[in-house]
Amino acid sequence: ETGVTQTPRHLVMGMTNKKSLKCEQHLGHNAMYWYKQSAKKPLELMFVYSLEERVENNSVPSRFSPECPNSSHLFLHLHTLQPEDSALYLCASSQERDNYGYTFGSGTRLTVV
Amino acid sequence: LAKTTQPISMDSYEGQEVNITCSHNNIATNDYITWYQQFPSQGPRFIIQGYKTKVTNEVASLFIPADRKSSTLSLPRVSLSDTAVYYCLVGDIYNQGGKLIFGQGTELSVKP
């Protein structure tokens, strides 16, 4: 257990479905992040939340919608995804402006069929 | 953020010392060097961080020469469980705006 918990671990969804990924951290961090990792590719930063405000959106398609209701929880709402969106989605948290020690969750393996 | 260059892959055998070098020619004065380890289907895990000279913890050592244009992660006596991807990241940890940008990493394969 890393202190960052992601659910579900695995998700299979159709292109017309709506689903949400959940991330929860118990480390008292004030920043949270969503990353996407496709097969054999580096991690891609998707969204950054600092003090519950979105501060970064790296040209992510609108079919991905993040939500950060409080500093401990982060969601990624998914709708009308494409097969190429299949990937490992990783959540991370940090104490911003403190150190570079990000804590990652184990990820959600998403398959879009 | 300074760009980093690492070997794409490395092979080793159990019990050997493994050194992975990362080049970061454009490192800035305020930049720190951080290494992460990632196992398949898991999130990256923080290994070690340094600014200059040598840093050692229970997992690894980090060697940084005086010019700081490169760094070397040293894993002593690797085992099969050290097979993973290792990422080198360089950035100003106090003013990097909360962005952690990963490169390709080095895929280390440890054989029996």
Side-chain angles (χ1 to χ4, degrees):
Chain A
E1 181 59 56
T2 65
V4 177
T5 304
Q6 289 188 243
T7 54
R9 288 299 308 275
H10 300 274
L11 177 63
V12 179
M13 60 184 289
M15 290 188 285
T16 58
N17 291 160
K18 289 184 179 181
K19 296 287 184 182
S20 296
L21 309 184
K22 179 182 177 181
C23 177
E24 185 173 359
Q25 59 99 358
H26 305 281
L27 302 169
H29 289 164
N30 59 11
M32 297 186 77
Y33 315 84
W34 280 116
Y35 283 84
K36 174 186 177 182
Q37 188 172 34
S38 302
K40 300 295 183 182
K41 290 185 178 180
L43 282 79
E44 301 172 48
L45 179 62
M46 299 176 72
F47 300 105
V48 178
Y49 275 84
S50 174
L51 299 174
E52 301 159 39
E53 290 190 18
R54 189 192 310 179
V55 296
E56 184 87 12
N57 178 346
N58 279 350
S59 303
V60 179
S62 59
R63 57 185 183 271
F64 295 91
S65 175
E67 178 189 3
C68 187
N70 54 62
S71 60
S72 299
H73 294 86
L74 185 65
F75 295 89
L76 187 62
H77 304 300
L78 316 171
H79 63 96
T80 60
L81 295 192
Q82 305 298 313
E84 59 265 29
D85 295 322
S86 299
L88 180 67
Y89 288 85
L90 291 159
C91 172
S93 71
S94 72
Q95 187 63 20
E96 196 178 33
R97 306 186 194 286
D98 186 1
N99 63 57
Y100 231 17
Y102 283 40
T103 302
F104 282 82
S106 296
T108 295
R109 172 68 65 187
L110 174 67
T111 303
V112 181
V113 297
Chain B
L1 297 172
K3 178 178 168 56
T4 60
T5 303
Q6 306 174 232
I8 297 292
S9 63
M10 293 182 68
D11 291 330
S12 182
Y13 291 93
E14 282 191 291
Q16 289 187 332
E17 178 185 73
V18 171
N19 296 309
I20 306 174
T21 298
C22 178
S23 297
H24 27 81
N25 292 319
N26 297 321
I27 190 168
T29 302
N30 294 331
D31 285 347
Y32 281 70
I33 300 154
T34 310
W35 286 80
Y36 280 77
Q37 174 194 55
Q38 185 181 25
F39 297 114
S41 297
Q42 292 187 28
R45 181 176 74 102
F46 174 93
I47 300 177
I48 198 166
Q49 181 180 88
Y51 183 79
K52 61 180 179 180
T53 62
K54 177 183 175 182
V55 179
T56 298
N57 61 24
E58 64 278 6
V59 177
S61 294
L62 179 60
F63 298 91
I64 305 169
D67 66 5
R68 303 201 326 122
K69 293 183 182 300
S70 67
S71 60
T72 299
L73 174 72
S74 181
L75 305 173
R77 296 179 298 282
V78 294
S79 63
L80 297 177
S81 63
D82 292 315
T83 294
V85 178
Y86 293 83
Y87 297 95
C88 165
L89 295 98
V90 173
D92 182 347
I93 65 174
Y94 296 106
N95 295 293
Q96 42 86 25
K99 294 188 291 185
L100 196 60
I101 308 299
F102 286 79
Q104 290 280 358
T106 297
E107 188 169 0
L108 173 65
S109 177
V110 180
K111 302 174 183 177

